[in-house]
Amino acid sequence: MENLRTYTGKNVKPDKARPYANHHQFLIIGGGTGGITAAAQLKKKLKKPDIAIIEPSDVHYYQPMWTFNGAGVFDKEKSKKLMKDIMPNDVAWIKDYVVAFHPEQNIVETECGTFYSYEFLVVAPGIQVDWDAIPGLAENIGTKGICSIYAYNQVDYVHECIHMLKEGRALFTQPNTKFKCGGAPQKIMYLSSDSWKNSGALHDIDVTFTSAGSVIFGVPEIAEALQPVIKRYGIDVKLLHNLKEIKADEKIAVYDIMKDGKPVDEMEIEYDMLHVTPPMSSPDFIKNSPLADSEGWVDVDKHSLQHKKYPNIFSLGDAGSTPNAKTGAAVRKQAPVVTGNLASLQKEGKIDENFIYDGYGSCPLITGYNKLILAEFDYENKMTPSFPFNQAKERRSMYHMKKDLLPMIYWQGMLKGRA
Ligand code: FAD
């Protein structure tokens, strides 16, 4: 293997047995937030790059909107666009699903049985939602008061559950795995609580938040800022509670009580409405590939985002091994690093040490209709505020930025390689 920080482009041409049409200079896996942003930026940085994206879906989702959709703000249709309409011009869209990697030969294999060779590979297939990992979840989601904002086709039922609940217990869960948008399980809870507060139902509803984690939020300043919010809605917070089963007919959630990372006890909680943030993991085809680290994520350097073993492979977004919060906001900061390093590798044969990702993640914590705490932080959970005011404070202006401005910045800026 060559020096990790340089790459001379050896062995990148397809062999004679494979048609030339299947070779691309830049091959991107996934047409989600990371894949489209990377393609759009590469187009701006290089002269006529040959880029192809392998993406099986006909639609592209702006997933952060699902929290609002679940809370009845915006129709869920607004969260999606046709893939063909957001694909950057002159980027080939291969509508297929990658099933295997052959990084020593610079080849990926798809479900249709086609092999694609590349000079440089960007891996951005997102995170896998493991609905089957909790007995009782996959078969009952969308019925019997069990709901989740973690799927486009489930968000309407979340809204229905919030609207229908007039008394009893509303239970919100957070898993013991990595998952996308660390704040979303709480955001939907605060929005639900605010809705019940406004309708007067909150008097008769017990809101309970269970998390497998040991703190309400990883950034101490934000965890502290959330305390008055939790108090305002009278939320019962139960930490180190890991949902392990749902008895849907009895409306009972079964938990492991955790200590030092191990279950030490079991507990059942009755509910009337259950909002589940499901366990998630790296996509199976990544886990089972030579690209994976010991936990299954694409094994990249946390600052350069270059693969630790294969220098012509990069990853951004939720599938990468970088220990940041898995958010679209992180992708926005990762994309210039990946594309800057790729452009440098392509032109100079080495990555540019000026392109460094510091672990930036952002979590706009919606704490009610018209209220938001904007958490921004790096690998060390140190606050990295974008605005010159105290962000650990609920603000109406930040709510409107999240609701009205960010979707526009996403569709018109980020996906076009501008933001
Ligand atoms: P994705 O955008 O999920 O895209 C992955 C793409 O890869 C998909 O199009 C998929 O079809 C494709 N793919 C999968 N497998 C294969 C395969 N085998 N071959 C080819 N293609 C494949 N982020 C924020 O910044 N702020 C928020 O407020 C926020 N809120 C959120 C709320 C919810 C409810 C959810 C679900 C997410 C939220 N996020 C938020 C997270 C954000 O949406 C993700 O972090 C971001 O989309 C990750 O980008 P990605 O490119 O890694 O994955």
Side-chain angles (χ1 to χ4, degrees):
M1 185 47 56
E2 294 167 78
N3 177 329
L4 285 189
R5 303 187 75 77
T6 61
Y7 180 71
T8 56
K10 267 196 316 221
N11 295 331
V12 295
K13 292 287 180 235
D15 64 35
K16 285 197 187 102
R18 299 199 172 88
Y20 187 76
N22 284 353
H23 178 79
H24 292 279
Q25 187 184 22
F26 296 96
L27 188 61
I28 298 178
I29 299 177
T33 307
I36 297 288
T37 306
Q41 291 192 7
L42 278 173
K43 280 199 61 193
K44 287 204 182 304
K45 286 184 175 153
L46 296 165
K47 225 171 143 188
K48 293 203 173 164
D50 161 23
I51 307 173
I53 297 183
I54 305 181
E55 165 59 60
S57 174
D58 280 322
V59 284
H60 176 107
Y61 296 105
Y62 177 54
Q63 300 168 42
M65 200 177 271
W66 294 348
T67 311
F68 278 127
N69 301 147
V73 182
F74 301 128
D75 191 290
K76 70 173 189 286
E77 292 294 313
K78 284 202 163 166
S79 73
K80 76 174 188 195
K81 285 195 198 278
L82 291 177
M83 194 63 74
K84 71 177 173 59
D85 293 338
I86 55 119
M87 198 55 67
N89 289 338
D90 302 321
V91 168
W93 171 21
I94 300 162
K95 195 170 174 320
D96 206 341
Y97 189 94
V98 173
V99 290
F101 296 87
H102 306 284
E104 303 289 349
Q105 288 85 40
N106 298 307
I107 281 172
V108 300
E109 193 177 331
T110 65
E111 203 170 44
C112 291
T114 313
F115 292 84
Y116 293 89
S117 57
Y118 55 83
E119 195 172 337
F120 301 102
L121 183 70
V122 177
V123 187
I127 198 167
Q128 175 173 292
V129 181
D130 294 325
W131 297 100
D132 289 327
I134 294 183
L137 177 59
E139 56 273 41
N140 292 299
I141 184 84
T143 61
K144 302 173 190 169
I146 303 168
C147 59
S148 181
I149 52 168
Y150 275 87
Y152 171 80
N153 60 3
Q154 294 296 330
V155 294
D156 287 340
Y157 188 62
V158 176
H159 184 47
E160 190 182 323
C161 287
I162 297 170
H163 187 67
M164 297 303 286
L165 193 72
K166 306 290 178 215
E167 59 181 8
R169 177 175 291 119
L171 189 53
F172 294 81
T173 75
Q174 182 169 307
N176 69 342
T177 62
K178 291 186 174 162
F179 62 100
K180 50 186 159 187
C181 194
Q186 291 182 60
K187 295 180 204 178
I188 189 62
M189 173 175 69
Y190 298 139
L191 282 163
S192 306
S193 302
D194 204 22
S195 162
W196 295 321
K197 188 166 179 281
N198 292 337
S199 71
L202 193 59
H203 287 296
D204 300 312
I205 296 175
D206 291 327
V207 183
T208 302
F209 181 65
T210 59
S211 170
S214 58
V215 290
I216 189 87
F217 201 82
V219 181
E221 292 93 326
I222 301 295
E224 202 183 311
L226 287 170
Q227 294 314 312
V229 179
I230 290 166
K231 197 165 165 210
R232 178 167 78 227
Y233 299 128
I235 296 169
D236 179 12
V237 176
K238 293 184 188 301
L239 301 173
L240 299 170
H241 280 55
N242 185 36
L243 178 70
K244 68 166 182 181
E245 188 187 342
I246 301 168
K247 297 180 182 171
D249 290 333
E250 297 158 74
K251 296 203 159 184
I252 286 175
V254 186
Y255 288 87
D256 274 333
I257 311 298
M258 309 298 290
K259 195 174 172 207
D260 302 327
K262 293 195 190 91
V264 290
D265 205 351
E266 197 179 281
M267 184 183 182
E268 294 190 343
I269 303 181
E270 288 182 27
Y271 62 82
D272 295 279
M273 166 188 160
L274 174 64
H275 180 277
V276 180
T277 299
M280 299 179 206
S281 63
S282 173
D284 289 339
F285 79 106
I286 300 285
K287 274 183 208 131
N288 304 326
S289 80
L291 267 49
D293 70 2
S294 59
E295 291 180 24
W297 308 99
V298 185
D299 195 12
V300 291
D301 177 84
K302 71 178 198 173
H303 295 302
S304 70
L305 306 177
Q306 184 183 35
H307 197 275
K308 288 186 182 163
K309 191 164 170 211
Y310 305 107
N312 60 336
I313 299 181
F314 286 75
S315 181
L316 77 168
D318 296 347
S321 60
T322 52
N324 57 283
K326 294 189 182 296
T327 61
V331 173
R332 192 163 67 80
K333 297 286 186 177
Q334 291 172 341
V337 174
V338 166
T339 55
N341 277 327
L342 278 170
S344 177
L345 256 188
Q346 200 257 332
K347 287 187 211 153
E348 322 271 341
K350 59 179 177 25
I351 62 169
D352 183 337
E353 303 203 341
N354 292 314
F355 290 111
I356 287 176
Y357 174 57
D358 66 359
Y360 175 90
S362 156
C363 191
L365 277 157
I366 310 162
T367 52
Y369 294 86
N370 286 327
K371 298 181 198 72
L372 187 144
I373 292 172
L374 181 59
E376 293 178 289
F377 43 89
D378 62 13
Y379 277 136
E380 272 73 51
N381 277 341
K382 222 173 69 222
M383 298 267 282
T384 53
S386 296
F387 297 97
F389 48 70
N390 176 12
Q391 288 184 198
K393 186 174 176 253
E394 290 180 284
R395 289 179 192 271
R396 177 187 277 260
S397 56
M398 292 293 100
Y399 177 87
H400 285 290
M401 182 202 63
K402 158 89 178 145
K403 175 174 153 287
D404 304 317
L405 208 61
L406 287 185
M408 224 158 65
I409 291 175
Y410 183 77
W411 297 118
Q412 301 307 328
M414 200 168 154
L415 295 191
K416 295 192 189 309
R418 292 190 195 119

